[in-house]
């Protein structure tokens, strides 16, 4: 072999590094004699090499252990610490020992140092139920999901690890009459409750007792290697006593001694504490409840004050915790006839013209009763008891018995002789029944002259200075007036002003001043120059009383008003108060998804801009308002993307408006399924086929998620010969061994997962076969050193260590010397000499 200038140094370096460093495993297992924390799994197969302590003092000949060795650990003269008996986490979790280095005279030359050995828990304990058989009672119609009992199991393994994390399940239900689960169990707490089907179908009248077969697993129930324990629960169904009673009927103004019991509620078991509250906030709450659940009314009720009450009853335990959802008790207060009719006003004033005809209706007497409406107690009957004066007849008027409408029965009214009539009207409830209450109301009917004069406007044409379009609603613009020569303060002279033309939208209103008879023109709705710049109003003046025959309204009772509106600079107006659209999340970049539109009332140009685009997904055409995708959208980040569009004028000052835009993203199948599984290992040699539990997940929504299809990659023959896929449910499957003839190596199995939308991805599931301890933990065999090397062996090692670099260095110097001699014999060298 020919050596160049680099070959020998590389050989020397490689040999030296290999000898001094050894394997990575050994590097992690050795170190100086110093305080240290080590971790050793319990039940580790012994003897087991724990750590190699290497003292720095050259006089060290042996090592000594002290502290909590418990006869489970020993240390060799060369510093190797061994485990001679397995640790047990359940017995002792930490062992603290001391190590010191000794010379030939057994004197301490280094240390002692403190070594803390933490025992690592393994899953070596089965869960244990605290009872071999449980008895439970469930009430009919028990609320689904509310626990009525609990089973309890413990595991002696480390509670901070999955070894002691338990998973409860119901494996069977007897009888299974309805072919659906009637009970459910919380997988973490062991609390048992009814399902929706159970709440509906459990019936105490059938006399059926149910038996549940329960299973508890450790390792959170996720591993085929989990320990299992079983038990049974016998459940009896009983009637649910905690239910709302029937509506309670109470007659108002009872004279019986109070309190009076009205109903009772009862919790399913004794010892409950009952609390009574009001559902609504009542000024007075005249109800109470005692320790037995008896509800009483504490004082007489008044239906006119309140017709119904809703009482809320809570059942609590001694810790003031609700035992169940509260129930409601409805109380209805029935009416008695305890209220007389009431006149709506102390004095009813009506008017009648001298020329009114027989049968004309001149008005109504208004009265009411506080008793229950639509009941006989509140049906009123009207009767005229007296009329003064009785001229020219004692029955000038009649009244409708049940409506109170007053009509003329005789005419020949003369204001000069009788200016007004006084009527005494009796109003009786219970439709006039003699047992009913009654009251007396007074009516004055004034005789007025005939309405033979029409209103005449002071001006036929009214003018008004132009008004800005932003003048507030409610502003009085103008006062107009008309004159009526009929009798003052009567319906014949009162003037009502009406806009009859020029205001189809009802933008203006005119109110009458009762004292002056003038009309006030008021803005009723917002003005808009762009819609209506000028109004030409026609206004009519009319009387509430009819005109006498032969008299009609003419042009004198009509006036005109022109109103000009001044344009002001207004902000742009969007075509909608909010924009919404729905697009698929995979819409290509550059596509328009929505167009917003705004106009400037004054016709100015508008530019658009976006705000709130936190993901920078969008852009907007500033001239057209088109909203365009800037990047790909992603529903998995947000399903509704909200931004704002600003429309800005080009005028000065530039006014702007804002409109919200909501983009609802429709899910597409753009995410492949994801695979999760616990890194598995199996003990070699394999005794029986086992499996790896796999779970698939998908960020997409239905129908692009489950059910998932698991399969082995078809082009890998080893996959299909060694493994098979066994479905568990829509999201889980098992990778199961087809045989047990596996080597002690790691197998990488290609598993393909396809979602319901046919999007798929292939994953590598790594399965390790290894030699295991008794507790199925992988471990590496360690060769035990029974003593220190002999002197000959030590010398041999030292000579070998020194010989390799010595030979290498000699060869280097030889090559350098030879190279120098060759250079000296060249012609150039001779010339220099």
């Amino acid at each position: 072999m020919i050596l160049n200038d680099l070959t020998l140094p590389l050989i020397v370096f490689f040999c030296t590094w290999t000898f001094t460093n050894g394997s990575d495993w050994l590097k992690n297992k050795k170190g100086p004699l110093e305080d240290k924390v080590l971790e050793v799994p319990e039940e580790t197969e012994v003897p087991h090499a724990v750590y190699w302590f290497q003292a720095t003092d050259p006089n060290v000949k042996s090592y000594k252990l002290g502290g909590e060795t418990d006869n489970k650990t020993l240390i060799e003269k060369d510093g190797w610490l061994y485990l001679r008996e397995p640790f047990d986490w359940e017995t002792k979790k930490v062992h603290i020992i001391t190590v010191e280095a000794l010379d030939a005279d057994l004197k301490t030359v280094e240390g002692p140092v403190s070594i803390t050995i933490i025992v690592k828990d393994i899953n070596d304990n089965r869960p244990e139920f605290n009872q071999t058989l449980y008895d439970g009672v469930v009430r009919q119609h028990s609320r689904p999901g509310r626990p009525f009992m609990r089973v309890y199991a413990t595991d002696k393994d480390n509670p901070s690890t999955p070894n002691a994390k338990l998973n409860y399940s119901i494996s069977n239900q007897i009888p299974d009459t309805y072919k659906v689960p009637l009970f459910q169990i919380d997988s973490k707490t062991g609390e048992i409750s009814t399902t929706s089907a159970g709440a509906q179908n459990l019936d105490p009248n059938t006399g059926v007792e149910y038996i549940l077969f329960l299973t508890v697993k450790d390792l959170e129930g996720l591993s085929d290697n989990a320990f299992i324990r079983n038990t049974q629960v016998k459940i009896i169904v009983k009637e649910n006593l905690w239910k709302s009673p029937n509506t309670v009927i109470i007659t108002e103004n009872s004279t019986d001694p109070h309190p009076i019991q009205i109903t009772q509620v009862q919790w399913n078991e004794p010892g409950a504490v009952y609390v009574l509250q009001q559902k609504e906030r009542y000024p007075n709450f005249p109800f109470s409840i005692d320790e037995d659940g008896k509800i009483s009314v504490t004082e007489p009720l008044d239906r006119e004050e309140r017709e119904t009450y809703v009482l809320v009853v809570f059942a609590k335990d001694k810790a003031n915790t609700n035992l169940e959802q509260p129930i409601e008790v409805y109380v209805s207060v029935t009416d008695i006839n305890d209220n007389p009719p009431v006149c709506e006003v102390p004095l009813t004033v009506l008017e009648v013209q001298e020329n009114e005809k027989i049968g004309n209706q001149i008005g109504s007497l208004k009265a009411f009763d506080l008793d229950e409406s639509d009941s006989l107690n509140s049906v009123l009957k009207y009767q005229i008891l007296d009329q003064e004066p009785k001229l020219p007849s004692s029955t000038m008027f009649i009244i409708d018995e049940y409506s109170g409408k007053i009509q003329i029965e005789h005419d020949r009214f003369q204001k000069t002789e009788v200016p007004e009539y006084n009527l005494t009207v009796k109003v009786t409830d219970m439709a006039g029944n003699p047992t009913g209450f009654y009251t007396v109301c007074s009516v004055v009917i004034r005789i007025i002259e005939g309405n033979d004069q029409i209103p005449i406007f002071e001006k036929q044409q009214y003018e008004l200075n132009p008004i800005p379009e932003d003048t507030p609603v409610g502003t009085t613009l103008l006062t107009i007036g008309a004159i009526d020569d009929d009798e003052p303060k009567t319906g014949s002279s009162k003037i009502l002003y009406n806009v009859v033309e020029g205001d189809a939208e009802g933008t203006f209103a005119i109110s009458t001043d009762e004292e002056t008879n003038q009309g006030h023109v008021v803005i009723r709705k917002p003005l808009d120059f762009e819609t209506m710049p000028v109004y030409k109003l026609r206004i009519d003046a009319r009387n509430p009383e009819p005109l006498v025959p032969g008299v009609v309204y003419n042009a004198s009772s009509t006036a005109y008003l022109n109103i000009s509106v001044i344009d002001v600079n207004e902000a742009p107006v969007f075509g909608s108060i909010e924009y919404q659209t729905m697009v698929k999340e995979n819409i290509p970049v550059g596509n328009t998804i929505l167009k917003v539109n705004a106009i400037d009332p004054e016709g100015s140009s508008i530019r658009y801009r976006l705000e709130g685009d936190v993901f920078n997904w969008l852009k907007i055409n500033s001239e057209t308002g088109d909203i365009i995708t800037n990047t790909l959208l992603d529903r998995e980040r947000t399903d509704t993307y909200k931004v704002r569009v600003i429309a800005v004028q080009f005028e000065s000052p530039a006014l702007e408006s804002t409109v919200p835009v909501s983009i609802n993203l429709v899910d597409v199948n753009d995410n492949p399924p994801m695979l999760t599984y616990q890194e598995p290992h199996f003990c070699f040699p394999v005794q029986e086929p086992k499996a790896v539990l796999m779970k698939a997940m998908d960020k997409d929504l239905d129908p692009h998620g489950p059910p998932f299809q698991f399969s082995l990659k078809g082009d890998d023959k080893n996959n299909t010969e060694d493994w098979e896929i066994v479905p568990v449910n829509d999201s889980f499957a098992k990778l199961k061994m087809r045989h047990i003839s596996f080597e002690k190596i790691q197998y990488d199995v290609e598993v393909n997962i396809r979602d319901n939308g046919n999007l798929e991805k292939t994953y590598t599931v790594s399965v390790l076969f290894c030699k295991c301890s008794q507790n199925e933990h992988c471990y590496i065999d360690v060769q035990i050193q029974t003593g220190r090397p002999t002197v000959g062996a030590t010398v041999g090692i030292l000579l070998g260590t020194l010989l390799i670099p010595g030979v290498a260095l000699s060869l280097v110097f030889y090559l350098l010397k030879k190279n120098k001699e060759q250079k000296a014999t060249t012609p150039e060298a001779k010339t220099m000499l």
Side-chain angles (χ1 to χ4, degrees):
M1 180 178 64
I2 301 175
L3 300 176
N4 58 32
D5 292 345
L6 292 176
T7 301
L8 187 58
L10 285 174
I11 292 175
V12 172
F13 172 78
F14 177 76
C15 294
T16 305
W17 182 89
T18 302
F19 181 82
T20 56
N21 288 276
S23 66
D24 289 339
W25 177 84
L26 185 58
K27 286 175 60 178
N28 296 328
K29 286 278 190 176
K30 68 178 181 178
L33 185 62
E34 59 186 11
D35 292 346
K36 189 169 293 294
V37 177
L38 304 174
E39 187 177 84
V40 177
E42 65 171 332
E43 303 299 336
T44 298
E45 189 171 326
V46 294
H48 173 72
V50 179
Y51 199 80
W52 186 11
F53 291 101
Q54 297 178 321
T56 57
D57 193 305
N59 298 316
V60 172
K61 303 299 181 181
S62 63
Y63 293 83
K64 177 183 177 183
L65 280 184
E68 304 171 356
T69 63
D70 298 331
N71 203 30
K72 294 180 180 295
T73 53
L74 61 86
I75 193 165
E76 293 289 338
K77 291 183 178 182
D78 58 1
W80 264 108
L81 176 66
Y82 288 98
L83 185 65
R84 64 191 301 173
E85 289 187 14
F87 288 133
D88 182 16
W89 183 89
E90 287 73 28
T91 302
K92 192 170 185 178
K93 299 173 177 58
V94 177
H95 296 259
I96 300 177
I97 61 176
T98 60
V99 178
E100 51 189 306
L102 309 178
D103 60 13
D105 297 327
L106 302 182
K107 293 182 179 180
T108 301
V109 293
E110 281 193 34
V113 297
S114 177
I115 308 300
T116 301
I117 302 178
I118 298 175
V119 182
K120 183 179 179 182
D121 181 52
I122 65 172
N123 191 30
D124 58 346
N125 289 281
R126 293 178 65 188
E128 296 284 348
F129 281 104
N130 64 340
Q131 294 179 216
T132 56
L133 179 65
Y134 293 85
D135 291 300
V137 174
V138 63
R139 296 288 176 172
Q140 184 182 22
H141 305 310
S142 179
R143 180 158 56 96
R146 177 175 178 80
F148 62 85
M149 67 173 298
R150 179 185 181 187
V151 298
Y152 186 71
T154 57
D155 192 303
K156 294 181 180 180
D157 288 319
N158 188 347
S160 64
T161 68
N163 299 336
K165 286 183 168 50
L166 305 182
N167 179 277
Y168 299 89
S169 61
I170 299 176
S171 57
N172 199 3
Q173 165 192 299
I174 301 296
D176 191 13
T177 307
Y178 302 98
K179 303 303 178 184
V180 293
L182 303 182
F183 303 93
Q184 57 189 341
I185 188 168
D186 188 299
S187 62
K188 294 182 179 179
T189 66
E191 294 173 325
I192 301 175
S193 60
T194 60
T195 63
S196 297
Q200 180 179 356
N201 294 307
L202 291 175
D203 186 354
N205 298 319
T206 62
V208 175
E209 293 184 358
Y210 291 88
I211 297 178
L212 302 183
F213 295 84
L214 305 186
T215 299
V216 64
K217 298 180 180 180
D218 58 16
L219 295 177
E220 301 178 279
L222 299 176
S223 173
D224 289 341
N225 299 325
F227 285 119
I228 297 175
R229 189 75 71 175
N230 299 292
T231 191
Q232 296 179 21
V233 178
K234 184 173 70 174
I235 299 175
I236 299 175
V237 183
K238 291 187 177 181
E239 179 187 2
N240 189 358
L241 304 177
W242 185 245
K243 54 188 176 182
S244 295
N246 295 330
T247 299
V248 179
I249 307 298
I250 301 177
T251 302
E252 67 171 334
N253 297 323
S254 171
T255 58
D256 295 335
H258 286 73
I260 300 173
Q261 181 182 339
I262 57 175
T263 190
Q264 184 175 6
V265 297
Q266 183 179 351
W267 177 243
N268 294 313
E269 306 295 339
V273 178
Y274 300 102
V275 177
L276 185 65
Q277 294 183 2
Q278 51 187 332
K279 186 173 184 179
E280 301 176 11
R281 186 64 61 182
Y282 308 130
N284 182 35
F285 187 63
F287 300 95
S288 64
I289 190 169
D290 66 11
E291 60 185 9
D292 297 322
K294 296 177 181 178
I295 301 176
S296 301
V297 58
T298 59
E299 62 184 52
L301 304 181
D302 184 0
R303 192 207 64 83
E304 286 70 44
E305 180 180 319
R306 190 166 196 89
E307 296 182 9
T308 59
Y309 295 84
V310 182
L311 316 182
V312 183
V313 188
F314 295 83
K316 297 176 177 286
D317 59 17
K318 302 299 183 183
N320 201 35
T321 301
N322 289 340
L323 295 170
E324 181 57 275
Q325 292 289 337
I327 58 176
E328 295 182 348
V329 179
Y330 293 88
V331 178
S332 177
V333 185
T334 60
D335 184 47
I336 63 173
N337 190 26
D338 58 344
N339 289 281
V342 177
C343 305
E344 194 170 272
V345 294
L347 179 64
T348 299
V349 179
L350 304 175
E351 292 180 346
V352 60
Q353 295 185 48
E354 289 180 307
N355 59 346
E356 290 276 0
K357 299 299 181 183
I358 294 175
N360 282 8
Q361 181 182 318
I362 62 173
S364 298
L365 171 63
K366 301 293 184 182
F368 61 90
D369 194 299
L370 292 175
D371 288 318
E372 185 176 359
S373 60
D374 300 324
S375 73
L376 190 61
N377 296 335
S378 61
V379 176
L380 304 182
K381 183 178 180 180
Y382 299 84
Q383 178 187 3
I384 297 177
L385 297 179
D386 187 32
Q387 169 195 306
E388 290 294 337
K390 298 179 176 55
L391 298 174
S393 170
S394 61
T395 57
M396 297 295 291
F397 307 95
I398 58 175
I399 189 167
D400 185 280
E401 288 185 336
Y402 296 108
S403 69
K405 295 177 180 178
I406 299 175
Q407 294 174 285
I408 298 173
E409 187 174 20
H410 292 90
D411 54 6
R412 303 191 310 276
F413 294 106
Q414 294 292 329
K415 179 181 179 182
T416 56
E417 296 183 8
V418 182
E420 66 181 27
Y421 291 87
N422 293 282
L423 302 182
T424 301
V425 180
K426 178 182 179 180
V427 184
T428 308
D429 60 17
M430 296 189 70
N433 191 297
T435 62
F437 291 101
Y438 73 89
T439 191
V440 174
C441 300
S442 298
V443 180
V444 171
I445 301 176
R446 293 173 180 169
I447 309 302
I448 63 175
E449 297 175 355
N451 187 14
D452 55 1
Q453 300 294 321
I454 63 173
I456 299 175
F457 271 103
E458 298 171 346
K459 296 169 61 176
Q460 298 297 121
Q461 182 70 47
Y462 287 90
E463 298 294 338
L464 183 67
N465 291 330
I467 57 175
E469 62 178 327
D470 59 355
T471 303
V473 171
T475 301
T476 299
L477 301 179
L478 181 68
T479 298
I480 60 177
I483 298 173
D484 192 303
D485 290 334
D486 285 313
E487 183 181 356
K489 307 297 182 180
T490 68
S492 298
S493 61
K494 183 178 180 179
I495 301 175
L496 303 177
Y497 300 92
N498 302 298
V499 178
V500 294
E501 287 183 8
D503 185 18
E505 300 299 325
T507 306
F508 304 97
I510 305 176
S511 60
T512 300
D513 189 313
E514 296 289 340
E515 295 297 325
T516 64
N517 244 359
Q518 290 180 318
H520 302 294
V521 181
V522 179
I523 298 177
R524 184 168 168 265
K525 294 181 179 180
L527 304 175
D528 184 11
F529 172 83
E530 289 71 27
T531 303
M532 185 69 71
V534 176
Y535 292 88
K536 295 183 178 181
L537 308 182
R538 175 188 163 186
I539 303 171
D540 284 348
R542 297 292 185 264
N543 301 128
E545 285 289 334
L547 297 173
V548 299
V551 178
V552 295
Y553 295 102
N554 57 34
S556 300
S557 299
T558 299
Y560 298 88
L561 171 61
N562 295 334
I563 301 176
S564 297
V565 181
I566 301 174
D567 186 29
V568 297
N569 186 20
E570 299 170 277
V573 179
F574 281 96
S576 176
I577 60 174
E578 181 180 6
Y579 288 88
Q580 293 185 350
T581 189
M582 182 178 293
V583 297
K584 292 184 177 181
E585 62 175 325
N586 64 343
I587 182 173
V589 175
N591 275 27
T592 298
I593 60 175
L594 180 68
K595 179 182 179 67
V596 299
N597 183 53
I599 60 172
D600 183 75
E602 290 71 48
S604 175
S605 297
I606 291 177
R607 292 293 183 269
Y608 302 93
R609 72 172 188 270
L610 273 178
E611 285 188 356
D613 183 16
V614 295
F615 294 152
N616 197 30
W617 282 354
L618 308 171
K619 60 183 178 181
I620 191 169
N621 188 311
S622 62
E623 296 183 356
T624 65
D626 290 335
I627 299 178
I628 304 165
T629 54
N630 188 45
T631 59
L632 289 176
L633 311 182
D634 186 4
R635 188 209 60 83
E636 284 67 41
R637 295 187 69 179
T638 179
D639 54 4
T640 301
Y641 195 52
K642 295 185 177 183
V643 296
R644 299 177 301 278
V645 176
I646 315 298
V648 185
Q649 292 176 333
F650 262 70
E651 292 185 353
S652 180
L655 301 182
E656 61 182 41
S657 298
T658 303
V659 69
V661 176
S662 296
I663 303 170
N664 298 311
L665 301 181
V666 179
D667 186 44
V668 298
N669 197 19
D670 59 344
N671 289 282
M674 297 178 292
L675 176 67
T676 61
Y677 65 95
Q678 287 190 337
E679 291 290 340
H681 74 272
F682 297 106
C683 294
F684 179 85
V686 179
Q687 302 298 321
E688 60 180 354
K690 295 187 178 182
V692 179
L693 183 64
M694 303 178 294
K695 179 182 180 182
M697 298 181 294
D698 200 309
K699 293 181 180 179
D700 295 316
L701 300 177
D702 289 338
H704 302 138
F708 298 103
Q709 296 180 21
F710 295 79
S711 62
L712 296 172
K713 192 171 181 182
D715 57 356
D716 190 338
K717 186 177 180 181
N718 291 332
N719 275 358
T720 57
E721 289 182 350
D722 295 341
W723 307 91
E724 64 177 332
I725 298 293
V726 179
V728 176
N729 54 32
D730 287 350
S731 299
F732 285 84
K734 291 182 179 180
L735 177 63
K736 188 176 181 181
M737 305 175 191
R738 286 186 177 273
H739 55 81
I740 61 174
S741 301
F742 289 91
E743 299 181 32
K744 191 170 61 172
I745 60 173
Q746 176 174 298
Y747 289 79
D748 293 328
V749 186
E750 302 295 315
V751 176
N752 184 269
I753 307 177
R754 176 181 298 173
D755 62 25
N756 198 36
N758 291 323
L759 192 61
E760 59 185 351
K761 186 173 181 179
T762 299
Y763 293 89
T764 299
V765 178
S766 297
V767 185
L768 176 64
F769 291 87
C770 60
K771 189 172 182 181
C772 295
S773 65
Q774 294 178 349
N775 297 294
E776 299 187 353
H777 285 270
C778 285
Y779 76 93
I780 301 174
D781 289 323
V782 179
Q783 299 298 326
I784 304 301
Q785 297 184 10
T786 58
R788 295 174 62 87
T790 63
V791 174
T794 303
V795 172
I797 292 172
L798 292 175
L799 289 175
T801 304
L802 297 174
L803 183 60
I804 292 174
V807 171
L809 289 174
S810 299
L811 182 58
V812 169
F813 288 133
Y814 171 76
L815 293 174
L816 291 175
K817 180 178 180 180
K818 187 175 181 181
N819 187 38
K820 184 176 180 180
E821 291 175 352
Q822 290 176 349
K823 290 181 179 179
T825 58
T826 60
E828 292 81 357
K830 293 179 180 180
T831 304
M832 293 177 65
L833 292 172

